Amino acid sequence: MSANHTRAPTGAALRVKALEALLEDKGMVDPAAIDRIIDLYENKIGPRNGARVVAKAWTDAAFRKRLLADATAAVAELGYGGPEGGHLVAVENTARVHNLVVCTLCSCYPWPVLGLPPMWYKSFAYRSRAVRDPRGLLKEFGLEIPERVEVRVWDSSAEQRYMVIPRRPAGTAAMSEQELAALVTRDSMIGTAVIAPPSHKAFARS
Ligand code: FE
């Protein structure tokens, strides 16, 4: 494993922190507004890119093949890449294998497809338990992986970052790529969740 991600924050990151603290002190920025922006990139805008990648992999066999062979090149076809991308590797969940992504040393994460990492991804508890007791950890996320399914844990680094291709849920054969993308959650691409079959409530109401 690379030691590259053990580096302290860069000068630029420290300057941003210092600037943010100063602006807050002077009442020039609202910390709640900053939190809302972070939430936007952490939960909304960021992971939608990855969701599009997953939906395309589910519906386009040739793309899925290219994605598994060279994810960096495949996501570039959709216009995704850039800083904090590193070399991207896509790992696919199957009936026999469930994949889980972690960065044991810090918080390496595939920004171009997943956005900003959630707080828990950076926590010591997550980083250590993902390796020591992945099944126990997944249970805390509400995910019980049957014994017959192998759990594979992938340790990200600055050079190599992973995304999980979750399994396509049942009952989605008639859905468009766009509708499928809407089902894909951030956590399912980290491996701490699976995607539930779509609810039929929308049809039952009306
Ligand atoms: Fe890291």
Side-chain angles (χ1 to χ4, degrees), residues 132-150:
R132 232 179 35 239
D133 177 23
R135 281 175 198 274
L137 175 80
L138 289 173
K139 253 181 218 167
E140 282 175 30
F141 276 93
L143 191 56
E144 192 127 8
I145 303 294
E147 276 308 317
R148 64 190 149 76
V149 176
E150 180 195 343

Side-chain angles (χ1 to χ4, degrees), residues 58-79:
W58 284 346
T59 52
D60 178 341
F63 177 78
R64 173 181 162 273
K65 207 171 162 187
R66 292 198 297 281
L67 182 66
L68 293 172
D70 181 349
T72 311
V75 306
E77 293 175 25
L78 301 182

Side-chain angles (χ1 to χ4, degrees), residues 5 103 105-108 156-157:
H5 55 154
C103 171
L105 291 179
C106 42
S107 56
C108 296
S156 307
S157 70

Side-chain angles (χ1 to χ4, degrees), residues 6-86:
T6 61
R7 282 187 306 215
T10 62
L14 290 173
R15 280 198 296 276
V16 168
K17 275 273 160 225
L19 191 61
E20 188 186 324
L22 188 67
L23 290 171
E24 271 177 40
D25 262 8
K26 296 203 176 289
M28 294 173 78
V29 295
D30 171 10
I34 294 181
D35 289 346
R36 280 196 299 275
I37 293 169
I38 291 173
D39 174 66
L40 191 68
Y41 281 92
E42 203 175 274
N43 298 305
K44 300 183 180 82
I45 296 173
R48 297 339 300 161
N49 293 353
R52 218 184 126 209
V53 171
V54 169
K56 189 162 174 65
W58 284 346
T59 52
D60 178 341
F63 177 78
R64 173 181 162 273
K65 207 171 162 187
R66 292 198 297 281
L67 182 66
L68 293 172
D70 181 349
T72 311
V75 306
E77 293 175 25
L78 301 182
Y80 307 137
E84 299 292 318

